[in-house]
Amino acid sequence: MKRDSQFRYSQLANILREQILSGYLRPGQYLMSEHELCKHYDMSRTSVRKSLEQLLKDNFIVKKAGQGTIVSPDLVIPATQRKTLRIVAISPSHFADIAMPIIIDRFQQSHPNVDVKLLSLPAHDFWASIRKSSEMGLQPDIILVSDRQIMETEGEAETFYDLREPLKDYLPAMYPRLVTAFRRDDTMIAAPVTFSTVYLAYNPNLFDTYNVAHPGPHWTQEDFIHAAQKLTVDTDGDGIVDQYGLSLHSSSNRWPVLALQNGFNFKGTSQKEPLMATLTFIHDLLYRLRIATLTSQYHATSEAFIHEKAGMVLTTSIELAGWRNENLGFEPQVAPLPFGNVKATLLLANAFMVPAACNELELAGQFLQTAFNPDVQDLIGRTSQFLSVLKSINEKLWDADILQSLHIVNDAIVNSYFQHEVFADWSNLEEMEAEMGLYWAGLESASSVAEAILNKILA
């Protein structure tokens, strides 16, 4: 736990330092408050304070009593004659933290006179921060985002460069499903550099400890419930259950997998039964059988699974790579999704976008070509276990059974969907998340919230 905490506050200190060195935060300018930094970067107040202490020690910031923290007015940023490629990434981002240094290092081997500046901005209000950066004269050449940020750009295809031309040599090797997912008006506005389905991961150590059979290819919902029941334990005998079968996330990029597997269509469907079955099953897990613990949508990770307090979790290879980077104490395994008769799930991705106002278009194209080079994709997969967007790389690095459980072999990936494909529009998704607050607390029935979703949100 101590190392995890050190990693988090050092990470934020590096993000703020780069914002200062890049000019995004200028001498004399106020930083966000500690409360705002906690919210925007999903960190504890302790980690935020340690980050600021580190920057204060290095003379990057000055604290003004009763007013806040400012960038040191005396700080001098040296000028350079070298070319600069500016990349802005969302934060937090496991891919930016783990894989981007690999890509940048490989790019600079062939472009030694180019400085790559990676600036991380909070995912919350990300595009507002991009606009602010551009207004200050810090126009990004490349943007690294998740599919959720891409969803927010609906109707703005003309503001991004069409990536089909610079990536023409790599597109045929990618999963066609990924290539077509981010086209707008016949323009490929984003190119996924890694992706993942949402799948079920489990802790084999806990399964062995409690004599639970490991999931097999024909694992059923009844098998899943039985396993979760055996894994739900009061480990210290104090009368309080402190280990659960499942860590369940209330985020809209997790639980809808259960609805998809039950055959529910979120785009204006009038079918209540599949949604009711899904919401009732979730309440069963949480409040009737009490074999699952809940992680709020406002927290980025499943602490219960990470700290071996839950035997299973719905997750992605992107999230899992981040957990491994923080010294996860066991090696998670992949289990087939057992929640319904429809073999469907959600997709998530990290993707590059190139703004139409990019100042270094040729360099940006060359950087993307580096990122999608098979050797680089292979290295990222081997060292961090991110899934590659190149089908051949995954087939080389992963066993066929694992790829089958991930729903990415043969035509299975066709039945996997990004959020912007599942929900009719962005406002529908936000309204649904707001509507379900009482439901997640067990204070509103499955029937009631199903009616609300159908009548108010999906109509």
Side-chain angles (χ1 to χ4, degrees):
M1 284 297 294
K2 183 178 180 182
R3 184 188 180 280
D4 293 353
S5 176
Q6 289 174 339
F7 175 82
R8 295 283 279 167
Y9 81 74
S10 295
Q11 183 183 47
L12 178 57
N14 290 337
I15 288 172
L16 295 175
R17 184 182 291 107
E18 184 54 44
Q19 289 182 2
I20 293 169
L21 291 174
S22 70
Y24 181 78
L25 294 175
R26 299 182 177 183
Q29 183 176 343
Y30 279 92
L31 275 64
M32 287 188 281
S33 68
E34 288 185 3
H35 174 75
E36 289 172 324
L37 288 170
C38 291
K39 176 182 176 183
H40 284 278
Y41 292 99
D42 189 34
M43 291 189 180
S44 68
R45 189 172 291 271
T46 298
S47 292
V48 167
R49 286 178 175 172
K50 286 184 176 181
S51 300
L52 296 178
E53 288 171 4
Q54 190 170 323
L55 293 174
L56 184 65
K57 179 180 178 181
D58 295 339
N59 299 316
F60 276 89
I61 60 172
V62 174
K63 289 191 174 182
K64 303 190 74 173
Q67 298 182 54
T69 303
I70 64 171
V71 179
S72 176
D74 300 325
L75 188 66
V76 177
I77 311 297
T80 178
Q81 298 298 317
R82 297 160 58 89
K83 277 198 169 187
T84 299
L85 184 69
R86 299 186 184 278
I87 305 175
V88 175
I90 57 166
S91 180
S93 168
H94 296 309
F95 190 84
D97 295 337
I98 303 169
M100 283 297 285
I102 295 174
I103 301 172
I104 291 171
D105 178 69
R106 183 62 65 90
F107 175 78
Q108 291 192 308
Q109 287 179 23
S110 57
H111 297 76
N113 295 321
V114 178
D115 290 324
V116 179
K117 299 293 185 180
L118 179 62
L119 175 65
S120 295
L121 297 176
H124 182 72
D125 290 335
F126 179 76
W127 294 114
S129 297
I130 289 288
R131 287 191 289 272
K132 174 186 174 184
S133 176
S134 298
E135 290 167 0
M136 294 169 58
L138 300 171
Q139 172 63 47
D141 300 303
I142 299 173
I143 300 174
L144 176 67
V145 291
S146 74
D147 56 282
R148 181 147 184 167
Q149 281 74 46
I150 299 171
M151 184 191 293
E152 297 173 359
T153 66
E154 188 69 36
E156 300 181 13
E158 71 281 356
T159 61
F160 299 98
Y161 187 71
D162 188 347
L163 299 180
R164 287 178 296 177
E165 177 59 28
L167 296 179
K168 62 183 179 181
D169 292 336
Y170 302 100
L171 295 179
M174 295 184 192
Y175 293 90
R177 180 77 184 81
L178 303 180
V179 174
T180 59
F182 299 106
R183 285 190 176 179
R184 301 286 188 275
D185 301 326
D186 202 35
T187 297
M188 188 177 180
I189 66 168
V193 66
T194 189
F195 79 104
S196 180
T197 52
V198 176
Y199 57 85
L200 189 67
Y202 69 96
N203 182 334
N205 296 349
L206 289 181
F207 270 64
D208 291 341
T209 298
Y210 293 93
N211 197 29
V212 180
H214 288 222
H218 305 293
W219 210 42
T220 66
Q221 184 168 295
E222 289 72 23
D223 295 330
F224 164 80
I225 292 174
H226 178 69
Q229 288 173 325
K230 293 188 70 173
L231 292 166
T232 300
V233 181
D234 170 14
T235 63
D236 56 12
D238 66 353
I240 300 174
V241 172
D242 55 4
Q243 176 183 294
Y244 286 86
L246 176 71
S247 176
L248 184 63
H249 206 299
S250 63
S251 169
S252 59
N253 62 23
R254 292 293 185 273
W255 76 264
V257 169
L258 281 70
L260 291 173
Q261 291 229 316
N262 277 297
F264 184 69
N265 176 6
F266 283 89
K267 288 189 175 181
T269 182
S270 59
Q271 297 176 319
K272 183 179 178 180
E273 291 77 13
L275 182 59
M276 266 292 299
T278 300
L279 296 176
T280 299
F281 178 65
I282 291 173
H283 264 183
D284 287 344
L285 298 177
L286 290 170
Y287 300 112
R288 295 187 182 93
L289 299 174
R290 298 182 182 274
I291 54 178
T293 183
L294 185 65
T295 299
S296 167
Q297 65 171 317
Y298 301 108
H299 292 276
T301 60
S302 171
E303 294 293 324
F305 186 75
I306 292 172
H307 298 296
E308 301 192 66
K309 292 296 184 180
M312 295 175 282
V313 66
L314 282 171
T315 187
T316 69
S317 64
I318 297 171
E319 186 174 52
L320 202 53
W323 296 346
R324 289 190 179 101
N325 193 53
E326 298 184 27
N327 282 349
L328 195 63
F330 59 97
E331 182 55 42
Q333 303 296 315
V334 181
L337 290 169
F339 302 117
N341 295 323
V342 180
K343 299 304 179 183
T345 187
L346 288 172
L347 282 168
L348 287 85
N350 288 124
F352 288 122
M353 307 177 79
V354 175
C358 168
N359 293 318
E360 296 289 349
L361 189 56
E362 183 176 351
L363 282 179
Q366 292 168 359
F367 185 89
L368 296 190
Q369 290 163 11
T370 300
F372 290 94
N373 182 283
D375 290 342
V376 175
Q377 288 277 310
D378 181 273
L379 180 60
I380 291 172
R382 290 184 185 280
T383 57
S384 62
Q385 299 190 32
F386 283 105
L387 287 175
S388 174
V389 294
L390 305 180
K391 184 178 179 181
S392 61
I393 300 297
N394 291 333
E395 291 174 345
K396 181 169 65 173
L397 298 182
W398 302 92
D399 292 338
D401 288 345
I402 292 178
L403 297 179
Q404 184 72 46
S405 294
L406 294 176
H407 289 272
I408 61 174
V409 297
N410 301 324
D411 295 328
I413 194 173
V414 176
N415 292 323
S416 301
Y417 306 95
F418 289 101
Q419 279 189 323
H420 70 271
E421 297 169 323
V422 172
F423 299 99
D425 59 51
W426 177 248
S427 62
N428 280 359
L429 178 57
E430 291 186 318
E431 288 179 27
M432 186 185 73
E433 290 177 338
E435 187 68 40
M436 295 183 70
L438 291 177
Y439 165 81
W440 287 115
L443 302 176
E444 187 174 11
S445 70
S447 177
S448 177
V449 77
E451 287 287 351
I453 290 174
L454 289 169
N455 297 333
K456 297 181 182 179
I457 300 171
L458 301 178

